PDB file of all heavy atoms in Angstrom:
ATOM      1  N   VAL A   9      74.497 -45.174  37.339  1.00 38.00           N
ATOM      2  CA  VAL A   9      73.145 -44.707  37.325  1.00 38.00           C
ATOM      3  C   VAL A   9      72.920 -43.689  38.411  1.00 38.00           C
ATOM      4  O   VAL A   9      72.269 -42.610  38.203  1.00 38.00           O
ATOM      5  CB  VAL A   9      72.151 -45.851  37.395  1.00 38.00           C
ATOM      6  CG1 VAL A   9      70.716 -45.320  37.540  1.00 38.00           C
ATOM      7  CG2 VAL A   9      72.323 -46.784  36.113  1.00 38.00           C
ATOM      8  N   LEU A  10      73.477 -43.943  39.606  1.00 43.00           N
ATOM      9  CA  LEU A  10      73.262 -42.994  40.719  1.00 43.00           C
ATOM     10  C   LEU A  10      73.968 -41.671  40.433  1.00 43.00           C
ATOM     11  O   LEU A  10      73.390 -40.555  40.656  1.00 43.00           O
ATOM     12  CB  LEU A  10      73.781 -43.564  42.040  1.00 43.00           C
ATOM     13  CG  LEU A  10      73.663 -42.737  43.254  1.00 43.00           C
ATOM     14  CD1 LEU A  10      72.166 -42.462  43.502  1.00 43.00           C
ATOM     15  CD2 LEU A  10      74.263 -43.450  44.434  1.00 43.00           C
ATOM     16  N   PHE A  11      75.207 -41.676  39.845  1.00 42.00           N
ATOM     17  CA  PHE A  11      75.941 -40.455  39.532  1.00 42.00           C
ATOM     18  C   PHE A  11      75.074 -39.681  38.406  1.00 42.00           C
ATOM     19  O   PHE A  11      74.999 -38.415  38.519  1.00 42.00           O
ATOM     20  CB  PHE A  11      77.272 -40.774  38.903  1.00 42.00           C
ATOM     21  CG  PHE A  11      78.259 -41.104  39.959  1.00 42.00           C
ATOM     22  CD1 PHE A  11      79.398 -41.817  39.716  1.00 42.00           C
ATOM     23  CD2 PHE A  11      78.086 -40.624  41.293  1.00 42.00           C
ATOM     24  CE1 PHE A  11      80.323 -42.125  40.674  1.00 42.00           C
ATOM     25  CE2 PHE A  11      79.022 -40.939  42.334  1.00 42.00           C
ATOM     26  CZ  PHE A  11      80.169 -41.712  41.974  1.00 42.00           C
ATOM     27  N   LEU A  12      74.482 -40.375  37.505  1.00 41.00           N
ATOM     28  CA  LEU A  12      73.666 -39.708  36.396  1.00 41.00           C
ATOM     29  C   LEU A  12      72.508 -39.017  37.092  1.00 41.00           C
ATOM     30  O   LEU A  12      72.131 -37.868  36.756  1.00 41.00           O
ATOM     31  CB  LEU A  12      73.188 -40.702  35.403  1.00 41.00           C
ATOM     32  CG  LEU A  12      72.339 -40.167  34.289  1.00 41.00           C
ATOM     33  CD1 LEU A  12      73.103 -39.085  33.535  1.00 41.00           C
ATOM     34  CD2 LEU A  12      71.939 -41.283  33.360  1.00 41.00           C
ATOM     35  N   CYS A  13      71.813 -39.667  38.053  1.00 43.00           N
ATOM     36  CA  CYS A  13      70.638 -39.111  38.744  1.00 43.00           C
ATOM     37  C   CYS A  13      71.059 -37.846  39.461  1.00 43.00           C
ATOM     38  O   CYS A  13      70.372 -36.790  39.460  1.00 43.00           O
ATOM     39  CB  CYS A  13      69.980 -40.048  39.656  1.00 43.00           C
ATOM     40  SG  CYS A  13      69.182 -41.493  38.716  1.00 43.00           S
ATOM     41  N   VAL A  14      72.137 -37.925  40.199  1.00 42.00           N
ATOM     42  CA  VAL A  14      72.642 -36.769  41.004  1.00 42.00           C
ATOM     43  C   VAL A  14      72.939 -35.593  40.084  1.00 42.00           C
ATOM     44  O   VAL A  14      72.650 -34.415  40.317  1.00 42.00           O
ATOM     45  CB  VAL A  14      73.848 -37.172  41.821  1.00 42.00           C
ATOM     46  CG1 VAL A  14      74.397 -35.901  42.549  1.00 42.00           C
ATOM     47  CG2 VAL A  14      73.398 -38.123  42.929  1.00 42.00           C
ATOM     48  N   PHE A  15      73.589 -35.926  38.928  1.00 41.00           N
ATOM     49  CA  PHE A  15      74.000 -34.936  37.964  1.00 41.00           C
ATOM     50  C   PHE A  15      72.778 -34.166  37.371  1.00 41.00           C
ATOM     51  O   PHE A  15      72.712 -32.967  37.272  1.00 41.00           O
ATOM     52  CB  PHE A  15      74.836 -35.539  36.868  1.00 41.00           C
ATOM     53  CG  PHE A  15      75.127 -34.547  35.730  1.00 41.00           C
ATOM     54  CD1 PHE A  15      76.185 -33.544  35.923  1.00 41.00           C
ATOM     55  CD2 PHE A  15      74.494 -34.564  34.574  1.00 41.00           C
ATOM     56  CE1 PHE A  15      76.449 -32.695  34.947  1.00 41.00           C
ATOM     57  CE2 PHE A  15      74.775 -33.686  33.511  1.00 41.00           C
ATOM     58  CZ  PHE A  15      75.709 -32.725  33.723  1.00 41.00           C
ATOM     59  N   LEU A  16      71.746 -34.998  37.003  1.00 41.00           N
ATOM     60  CA  LEU A  16      70.485 -34.445  36.441  1.00 41.00           C
ATOM     61  C   LEU A  16      69.769 -33.615  37.526  1.00 41.00           C
ATOM     62  O   LEU A  16      69.303 -32.522  37.247  1.00 41.00           O
ATOM     63  CB  LEU A  16      69.602 -35.597  35.942  1.00 41.00           C
ATOM     64  CG  LEU A  16      70.115 -36.302  34.678  1.00 41.00           C
ATOM     65  CD1 LEU A  16      69.182 -37.397  34.381  1.00 41.00           C
ATOM     66  CD2 LEU A  16      70.291 -35.350  33.517  1.00 41.00           C
ATOM     67  N   GLY A  17      69.802 -34.072  38.810  1.00 44.00           N
ATOM     68  CA  GLY A  17      69.174 -33.312  39.823  1.00 44.00           C
ATOM     69  C   GLY A  17      69.902 -31.968  40.047  1.00 44.00           C
ATOM     70  O   GLY A  17      69.187 -30.941  40.199  1.00 44.00           O
ATOM     71  N   MET A  18      71.126 -31.950  40.020  1.00 44.00           N
ATOM     72  CA  MET A  18      71.840 -30.704  40.172  1.00 44.00           C
ATOM     73  C   MET A  18      71.683 -29.761  39.018  1.00 44.00           C
ATOM     74  O   MET A  18      71.543 -28.557  39.122  1.00 44.00           O
ATOM     75  CB  MET A  18      73.397 -30.968  40.387  1.00 44.00           C
ATOM     76  CG  MET A  18      73.719 -31.669  41.694  1.00 44.00           C
ATOM     77  SD  MET A  18      75.454 -31.954  41.897  1.00 44.00           S
ATOM     78  CE  MET A  18      75.983 -30.285  42.040  1.00 44.00           C
ATOM     79  N   SER A  19      71.532 -30.334  37.784  1.00 42.00           N
ATOM     80  CA  SER A  19      71.273 -29.594  36.623  1.00 42.00           C
ATOM     81  C   SER A  19      69.912 -28.906  36.638  1.00 42.00           C
ATOM     82  O   SER A  19      69.708 -27.688  36.364  1.00 42.00           O
ATOM     83  CB  SER A  19      71.367 -30.433  35.348  1.00 42.00           C
ATOM     84  OG  SER A  19      72.694 -30.991  35.253  1.00 42.00           O
ATOM     85  N   TRP A  20      68.864 -29.741  37.156  1.00 41.00           N
ATOM     86  CA  TRP A  20      67.537 -29.105  37.279  1.00 41.00           C
ATOM     87  C   TRP A  20      67.548 -27.974  38.289  1.00 41.00           C
ATOM     88  O   TRP A  20      66.867 -26.977  38.191  1.00 41.00           O
ATOM     89  CB  TRP A  20      66.521 -30.201  37.617  1.00 41.00           C
ATOM     90  CG  TRP A  20      66.411 -31.199  36.557  1.00 41.00           C
ATOM     91  CD1 TRP A  20      66.597 -31.055  35.217  1.00 41.00           C
ATOM     92  CD2 TRP A  20      65.980 -32.603  36.690  1.00 41.00           C
ATOM     93  NE1 TRP A  20      66.361 -32.154  34.501  1.00 41.00           N
ATOM     94  CE2 TRP A  20      65.956 -33.144  35.400  1.00 41.00           C
ATOM     95  CE3 TRP A  20      65.643 -33.402  37.808  1.00 41.00           C
ATOM     96  CZ2 TRP A  20      65.628 -34.551  35.169  1.00 41.00           C
ATOM     97  CZ3 TRP A  20      65.297 -34.733  37.512  1.00 41.00           C
ATOM     98  CH2 TRP A  20      65.241 -35.214  36.273  1.00 41.00           C
ATOM     99  N   ALA A  21      68.269 -28.251  39.386  1.00 42.00           N
ATOM    100  CA  ALA A  21      68.314 -27.244  40.519  1.00 42.00           C
ATOM    101  C   ALA A  21      69.003 -25.980  40.104  1.00 42.00           C
ATOM    102  O   ALA A  21      68.781 -24.892  40.640  1.00 42.00           O
ATOM    103  CB  ALA A  21      69.050 -27.779  41.702  1.00 42.00           C
ATOM    104  N   ALA A  22      69.892 -26.046  39.044  1.00 44.00           N
ATOM    105  CA  ALA A  22      70.622 -24.823  38.630  1.00 44.00           C
ATOM    106  C   ALA A  22      69.846 -24.027  37.632  1.00 44.00           C
ATOM    107  O   ALA A  22      70.317 -23.039  37.129  1.00 44.00           O
ATOM    108  CB  ALA A  22      71.914 -25.261  38.042  1.00 44.00           C
ATOM    109  N   GLU A  23      68.523 -24.391  37.307  1.00 65.00           N
ATOM    110  CA  GLU A  23      67.691 -23.615  36.430  1.00 65.00           C
ATOM    111  C   GLU A  23      67.331 -22.261  37.036  1.00 65.00           C
ATOM    112  O   GLU A  23      67.489 -22.010  38.237  1.00 65.00           O
ATOM    113  CB  GLU A  23      66.476 -24.380  36.006  1.00 65.00           C
ATOM    114  CG  GLU A  23      66.799 -25.649  35.174  1.00 65.00           C
ATOM    115  CD  GLU A  23      65.506 -26.463  34.889  1.00 65.00           C
ATOM    116  OE1 GLU A  23      64.454 -26.078  35.418  1.00 65.00           O
ATOM    117  OE2 GLU A  23      65.591 -27.455  34.154  1.00 65.00           O
ATOM    118  N   GLU A  24      66.746 -21.378  36.244  1.00 80.00           N
ATOM    119  CA  GLU A  24      66.359 -20.080  36.685  1.00 80.00           C
ATOM    120  C   GLU A  24      65.281 -20.224  37.781  1.00 80.00           C
ATOM    121  O   GLU A  24      64.336 -21.092  37.720  1.00 80.00           O
ATOM    122  CB  GLU A  24      65.768 -19.260  35.519  1.00 80.00           C
ATOM    123  CG  GLU A  24      66.807 -18.850  34.532  1.00 80.00           C
ATOM    124  CD  GLU A  24      67.806 -17.888  35.146  1.00 80.00           C
ATOM    125  OE1 GLU A  24      67.434 -17.094  35.984  1.00 80.00           O
ATOM    126  OE2 GLU A  24      68.965 -17.987  34.783  1.00 80.00           O
ATOM    127  N   PRO A  25      65.308 -19.444  38.858  1.00 83.00           N
ATOM    128  CA  PRO A  25      64.395 -19.549  39.951  1.00 83.00           C
ATOM    129  C   PRO A  25      63.002 -19.113  39.590  1.00 83.00           C
ATOM    130  O   PRO A  25      62.780 -18.311  38.655  1.00 83.00           O
ATOM    131  CB  PRO A  25      65.005 -18.674  41.063  1.00 83.00           C
ATOM    132  CG  PRO A  25      65.792 -17.703  40.263  1.00 83.00           C
ATOM    133  CD  PRO A  25      66.300 -18.400  39.147  1.00 83.00           C
ATOM    134  N   LEU A  26      62.009 -19.680  40.244  1.00 85.00           N
ATOM    135  CA  LEU A  26      60.649 -19.261  40.078  1.00 85.00           C
ATOM    136  C   LEU A  26      60.472 -17.911  40.753  1.00 85.00           C
ATOM    137  O   LEU A  26      61.020 -17.674  41.818  1.00 85.00           O
ATOM    138  CB  LEU A  26      59.664 -20.349  40.669  1.00 85.00           C
ATOM    139  CG  LEU A  26      59.809 -21.747  40.107  1.00 85.00           C
ATOM    140  CD1 LEU A  26      58.975 -22.696  40.928  1.00 85.00           C
ATOM    141  CD2 LEU A  26      59.458 -21.780  38.687  1.00 85.00           C
ATOM    142  N   GLU A  27      59.613 -17.086  40.165  1.00 86.00           N
ATOM    143  CA  GLU A  27      59.460 -15.716  40.693  1.00 86.00           C
ATOM    144  C   GLU A  27      57.936 -15.450  40.901  1.00 86.00           C
ATOM    145  O   GLU A  27      57.126 -15.768  40.031  1.00 86.00           O
ATOM    146  CB  GLU A  27      59.968 -14.695  39.736  1.00 86.00           C
ATOM    147  CG  GLU A  27      61.505 -14.759  39.586  1.00 86.00           C
ATOM    148  CD  GLU A  27      62.066 -13.634  38.747  1.00 86.00           C
ATOM    149  OE1 GLU A  27      61.246 -12.944  38.026  1.00 86.00           O
ATOM    150  OE2 GLU A  27      63.241 -13.360  38.719  1.00 86.00           O
ATOM    151  N   TYR A  28      57.611 -14.929  42.099  1.00 86.00           N
ATOM    152  CA  TYR A  28      56.194 -14.617  42.418  1.00 86.00           C
ATOM    153  C   TYR A  28      56.205 -13.173  43.016  1.00 86.00           C
ATOM    154  O   TYR A  28      57.186 -12.751  43.590  1.00 86.00           O
ATOM    155  CB  TYR A  28      55.644 -15.579  43.429  1.00 86.00           C
ATOM    156  CG  TYR A  28      55.680 -17.053  42.902  1.00 86.00           C
ATOM    157  CD1 TYR A  28      56.799 -17.880  43.359  1.00 86.00           C
ATOM    158  CD2 TYR A  28      54.835 -17.523  42.022  1.00 86.00           C
ATOM    159  CE1 TYR A  28      56.841 -19.153  42.847  1.00 86.00           C
ATOM    160  CE2 TYR A  28      54.890 -18.763  41.474  1.00 86.00           C
ATOM    161  CZ  TYR A  28      55.905 -19.633  41.934  1.00 86.00           C
ATOM    162  OH  TYR A  28      56.014 -20.937  41.507  1.00 86.00           O
ATOM    163  N   PHE A  29      55.059 -12.514  42.858  1.00 88.00           N
ATOM    164  CA  PHE A  29      54.941 -11.096  43.282  1.00 88.00           C
ATOM    165  C   PHE A  29      53.749 -10.985  44.177  1.00 88.00           C
ATOM    166  O   PHE A  29      52.647 -11.611  43.982  1.00 88.00           O
ATOM    167  CB  PHE A  29      54.766 -10.204  42.047  1.00 88.00           C
ATOM    168  CG  PHE A  29      55.906 -10.277  41.120  1.00 88.00           C
ATOM    169  CD1 PHE A  29      56.006 -11.345  40.146  1.00 88.00           C
ATOM    170  CD2 PHE A  29      57.009  -9.374  41.199  1.00 88.00           C
ATOM    171  CE1 PHE A  29      57.131 -11.324  39.303  1.00 88.00           C
ATOM    172  CE2 PHE A  29      58.055  -9.428  40.349  1.00 88.00           C
ATOM    173  CZ  PHE A  29      58.108 -10.438  39.379  1.00 88.00           C
ATOM    174  N   VAL A  30      53.888 -10.105  45.161  1.00 83.00           N
ATOM    175  CA  VAL A  30      52.762  -9.794  46.123  1.00 83.00           C
ATOM    176  C   VAL A  30      53.017  -8.395  46.696  1.00 83.00           C
ATOM    177  O   VAL A  30      54.143  -7.976  46.819  1.00 83.00           O
ATOM    178  CB  VAL A  30      52.727 -10.832  47.217  1.00 83.00           C
ATOM    179  CG1 VAL A  30      53.972 -10.712  48.147  1.00 83.00           C
ATOM    180  CG2 VAL A  30      51.437 -10.680  48.043  1.00 83.00           C
ATOM    181  N   GLU A  31      51.948  -7.669  46.868  1.00 81.00           N
ATOM    182  CA  GLU A  31      52.091  -6.376  47.522  1.00 81.00           C
ATOM    183  C   GLU A  31      52.126  -6.508  49.044  1.00 81.00           C
ATOM    184  O   GLU A  31      51.541  -7.446  49.608  1.00 81.00           O
ATOM    185  CB  GLU A  31      50.828  -5.537  47.167  1.00 81.00           C
ATOM    186  CG  GLU A  31      50.879  -5.064  45.676  1.00 81.00           C
ATOM    187  CD  GLU A  31      49.766  -4.064  45.372  1.00 81.00           C
ATOM    188  OE1 GLU A  31      48.843  -3.895  46.298  1.00 81.00           O
ATOM    189  OE2 GLU A  31      49.750  -3.492  44.333  1.00 81.00           O
ATOM    190  N   GLU A  32      52.891  -5.547  49.647  1.00 80.00           N
ATOM    191  CA  GLU A  32      52.926  -5.609  51.069  1.00 80.00           C
ATOM    192  C   GLU A  32      51.557  -5.434  51.694  1.00 80.00           C
ATOM    193  O   GLU A  32      50.655  -4.828  51.123  1.00 80.00           O
ATOM    194  CB  GLU A  32      53.955  -4.638  51.626  1.00 80.00           C
ATOM    195  CG  GLU A  32      53.623  -3.141  51.372  1.00 80.00           C
ATOM    196  CD  GLU A  32      54.511  -2.232  52.034  1.00 80.00           C
ATOM    197  OE1 GLU A  32      55.022  -2.529  53.098  1.00 80.00           O
ATOM    198  OE2 GLU A  32      54.747  -1.134  51.475  1.00 80.00           O
TER     199      GLU A  32
END
Side-chain angles (χ1 to χ4, degrees):
V9 171
L10 183 58
F11 283 156
L12 178 60
C13 293
V14 173
F15 174 77
L16 291 177
M18 294 180 66
S19 300
W20 295 335
E23 294 177 354
E24 290 295 323
L26 302 174
E27 294 185 345
Y28 303 100
F29 299 84
V30 67
E31 288 187 350
E32 66 173 327

